[in-house]
Amino acid sequence: TSRTPLSSASAGGPGGGHFLHKGLPPGPRGLPFLGNLLDLGQDHLPSHLTRLARRYGPVYTLTCGSSTLVVLNSSDVIKEALVRKWSDFAGRPISYTGSLVSGGGRSISLGDYSEEWRVQRRLVHQTLQRYSHSSLQALVRRQALALREVLIGYNGRAVDLAEDFTVAASNVITTLTFEKEYGKESEELQQLHSCLNNIVSLWGSPWISALDSFPLLRKLPNRPFSRLLKEVARRDDIIGRHIKEYKLRDNQSEDSITSSLLKGIEQSIGSEDGVRLTDTHLHMATVDLLIGGTETTAAWLSWTLAFLLHRPQVQTQVYEEMCGVLEGRYPQYSDRPRLPVLGAVISEVLRLRPVAPLAVPHRALRDSSIAGYFIPKDTVIIPNLFGAHHDPSVWSEPNSFRPERFLEGGGGRARDLLAFGGGARLCLGETVARTELFLFTAYLLRDFLFLPGGEGAGLPDLEGEASVVLKVKSYKVIAVPRPLETDLAVGPPNQ
Ligand code: HEM
């Protein structure tokens, strides 16, 4: 049921319903027909949107064809929309190309808010939580030790570790889903990654998003779009084959996401809520985890080393903290409170370079309000997490890498960190990601000293390249093994 703008604002907008006469949020004037397409086509979109916020305030409007977009740029307005008014803004834009890449909207990340979506998301969430309590640490630890062997094998050569981080992160997800691990040279892994990455970058390209805003263009030949359709077919073929093989296995683990979803599908047939999950839900949930869980974690690890190369004293601090607390053993996730410097580094990298800088667009499910502005049903909401994390009214020296701000207080508030979004669409893999960020970083910094390895030992460029994922530009690093006091001591059993 639709609420009136006035009643929805009274439900929680700052200042209440009286302020709704503010109307739509302001914004830059667009070109006839194209609207603000030029703003949206900027190279480093999160930075550009953040600059616009300095001019138009934390909530502003852009248009693109027939769509109205509202960009949110401060943690207060993002939390108002995503957390306090989650039920107004939990939708996803429904689009022609979105439906083609998401199995007709049956993916968790792109599926619109519905009872079917809730059942699918709940099932995957519960399975991930169960897995996190039982086997996740051991799985990440195994990948961290495999990464250690790869780094030792480089023998002090200057190398770009981006691909090794992708393999480590990807192996966590493929083990979760299919109980399969791959080496860097595996053709199957390369196929899977190239097709998932191509889908993400093609789908984000202006040639393809234009098809959503300007339907007439669908009648013209469009090579990027034909490639996108081919990549989607290739993806569906690879994932479909894996699920088929998995179903035929007689040693399926109770823990795996695939087992649990298969069971969920069976139970949903004949369930009282009338929601019937299908193989497409399983298929698309697998795609969600592979896309959501690989490039994000890998990009974050590359950012962390890049920042530590710029501030080597912080790297030493983390190492000395671990030496003091762990007495030679490897850390466990439960050691977090005893390793505050490491925790502060993790938070600061999440702040400065949220790897999903614009989250995933939301859609207003009904008329509502944000910061007193009227937001009509179907408005697309862009949470600019990057902008919120660079807001000078919350973070002192917002562009500086200062992990100490999380230790000394006063330089920003941990509760304003929104790297995983919030509310009904909170990152589904947050627990998995946090375990990975902590353990991978701790293992790497315990075992190696990282030195700049670029031409003339230059430092990495910290601006990055933003598409759906915010990545650091390629750089080289030298991993020097640390002399270990107690080689490979592990402490108490994991979990
Ligand atoms: C969604 C961040 C890792 C799976 C999201 C969103 C953000 C995010 C900002 C969008 C929230 C919104 O729409 O408001 C991150 C970061 C990660 C990370 C910073 C690591 C550093 C992961 C991992 C997985 C994952 C490891 C899988 C195991 C997902 C899924 C969604 C999502 C499935 C869609 C949720 C939905 O639409 O309901 N993530 N993510 N992410 N993430 Fe992550």
Side-chain angles (χ1 to χ4, degrees):
T1 53
S2 245
R3 282 195 247 151
T4 64
L6 205 68
S7 67
S8 100
S10 323
H18 307 310
F19 296 97
L20 272 183
H21 61 261
K22 271 163 88 172
L24 286 173
R29 187 192 290 268
L31 297 169
F33 186 61
L34 295 178
N36 303 101
L37 200 63
L38 295 183
D39 284 304
L40 293 163
Q42 295 282 322
D43 253 1
H44 197 301
L45 186 58
S47 295
H48 181 71
L49 296 181
T50 304
R51 279 193 297 276
L52 288 181
R54 306 278 174 264
R55 192 140 164 224
Y56 297 98
V59 187
Y60 59 81
T61 306
L62 298 176
T63 59
C64 180
S66 56
S67 314
T68 304
L69 284 71
V70 166
V71 186
L72 308 179
N73 300 276
S74 76
S75 82
D76 281 349
V77 292
I78 292 175
K79 282 193 268 185
E80 181 188 345
L82 270 51
V83 182
R84 279 181 29 225
K85 295 180 178 170
W86 68 268
S87 62
D88 290 357
F89 295 106
R92 291 287 190 218
I94 299 167
S95 70
Y96 170 69
T97 59
S99 171
L100 289 172
V101 300
S102 65
R106 288 188 188 83
S107 87
I108 298 171
S109 53
L110 302 181
D112 198 19
Y113 189 81
S114 68
E115 194 50 34
E116 188 179 287
W117 173 86
R118 274 163 49 101
V119 172
Q120 181 189 22
R121 184 178 154 116
R122 195 183 323 126
L123 193 58
V124 179
H125 178 70
Q126 283 168 351
T127 313
L128 285 176
Q129 292 305 108
R130 233 185 359 258
Y131 196 90
S132 300
H133 285 118
S134 60
S135 327
L136 182 63
Q137 266 210 77
L139 166 56
V140 178
R141 177 183 137 73
R142 208 166 56 241
Q143 293 308 324
L145 290 176
L147 194 54
R148 173 183 192 266
E149 290 311 304
V150 172
L151 266 59
I152 287 175
Y154 287 135
N155 247 327
R157 264 182 298 132
V159 282
D160 179 350
L161 294 176
E163 212 178 314
D164 297 310
F165 290 158
T166 301
V167 172
S170 158
N171 274 336
V172 170
I173 306 295
T174 52
T175 308
L176 273 172
T177 48
F178 308 128
E179 294 162 40
K180 259 195 168 176
E181 284 177 23
Y182 299 92
K184 189 170 159 182
E185 310 306 331
S186 153
E187 201 179 310
E188 197 172 319
L189 179 80
Q190 285 171 7
Q191 288 245 352
L192 186 64
H193 282 298
S194 85
C195 113
L196 294 178
N197 286 338
N198 288 341
I199 291 174
V200 171
S201 68
L202 282 165
W203 190 52
S205 88
W207 299 109
I208 289 180
S209 22
L211 300 180
D212 293 326
S213 308
F214 307 102
L216 281 177
L217 296 179
R218 292 174 208 163
K219 299 200 185 302
L220 302 177
N222 181 330
R223 280 181 61 188
F225 185 57
S226 312
R227 243 191 95 204
L228 176 70
L229 293 181
K230 263 197 204 129
E231 294 290 2
V232 169
R234 190 153 77 103
R235 171 198 78 185
D236 290 343
D237 184 52
I238 299 173
I239 307 273
R241 208 159 4 99
H242 271 293
I243 294 177
K244 209 158 148 194
E245 275 171 26
Y246 188 87
K247 280 183 177 174
L248 294 174
R249 280 165 68 160
D250 38 34
N251 59 339
Q252 299 169 4
S253 147
E254 284 284 294
D255 261 347
S256 91
I257 304 282
T258 309
S259 284
S260 163
L261 284 175
L262 283 169
K263 237 181 261 152
I265 288 172
E266 256 171 53
Q267 284 162 6
S268 79
I269 299 171
S271 70
E272 282 175 15
D273 54 18
V275 172
R276 280 191 66 165
L277 295 180
T278 62
D279 276 4
T280 313
H281 291 102
L282 163 63
H283 186 106
M284 288 315 303
T286 309
V287 172
D288 277 320
L289 296 177
L290 285 167
I291 291 188
T294 304
E295 290 302 324
T296 44
T297 308
W300 184 90
L301 286 169
S302 287
W303 277 119
T304 301
L305 286 196
F307 279 110
L308 290 177
L309 292 180
H310 278 260
R311 277 197 68 191
Q313 66 276 33
V314 176
Q315 192 180 165
T316 309
Q317 264 178 296
V318 174
Y319 179 68
E320 286 176 354
E321 179 181 72
M322 282 197 277
C323 289
V325 170
L326 303 171
E327 296 168 345
R329 72 176 167 85
Y330 277 112
Q332 318 244 344
Y333 196 52
S334 54
D335 287 317
R336 274 172 311 149
R338 304 200 299 150
L339 299 171
V341 180
L342 174 58
V345 168
I346 293 174
S347 297
E348 182 66 344
V349 179
L350 283 172
R351 180 189 73 80
L352 264 173
R353 296 296 178 266
V355 288
L358 301 176
V360 179
H362 288 234
R363 181 176 67 88
L365 293 167
R366 53 176 75 95
D367 289 349
S368 184
S369 68
I370 300 173
Y373 291 110
F374 173 51
I375 309 289
K377 181 173 186 279
D378 287 333
T379 302
V380 175
I381 306 293
I382 313 267
N384 180 5
L385 308 180
F386 180 91
H389 287 182
H390 285 78
D391 182 347
S393 69
V394 174
W395 308 98
S396 60
E397 298 178 55
N399 297 318
S400 305
F401 175 65
R402 289 186 54 241
E404 52 274 35
R405 71 176 76 243
F406 290 100
L407 300 171
E408 64 204 20
R413 303 169 302 193
R415 67 171 189 274
D416 287 315
L417 272 187
L418 294 167
F420 294 96
R425 292 283 182 168
L426 177 72
C427 170
L428 189 58
E430 180 176 1
T431 312
V432 177
R434 287 198 181 274
T435 308
E436 289 185 89
L437 303 191
F438 181 81
L439 290 179
F440 277 134
T441 316
Y443 274 51
L444 286 171
L445 296 182
R446 173 195 181 269
D447 287 343
F448 299 95
L449 167 69
F450 291 93
L451 299 173
E455 301 257 312
L459 290 169
D461 177 323
L462 293 177
E463 198 177 328
E465 293 167 327
S467 70
V468 175
V469 174
L470 177 56
K471 291 186 186 176
V472 61
K473 286 190 185 136
S474 165
Y475 67 91
K476 288 190 176 168
V477 67
I478 297 170
V480 183
R482 300 261 193 197
L484 298 181
E485 286 160 33
T486 321
D487 202 30
L488 280 182
V490 288
N494 286 305
Q495 302 285 339

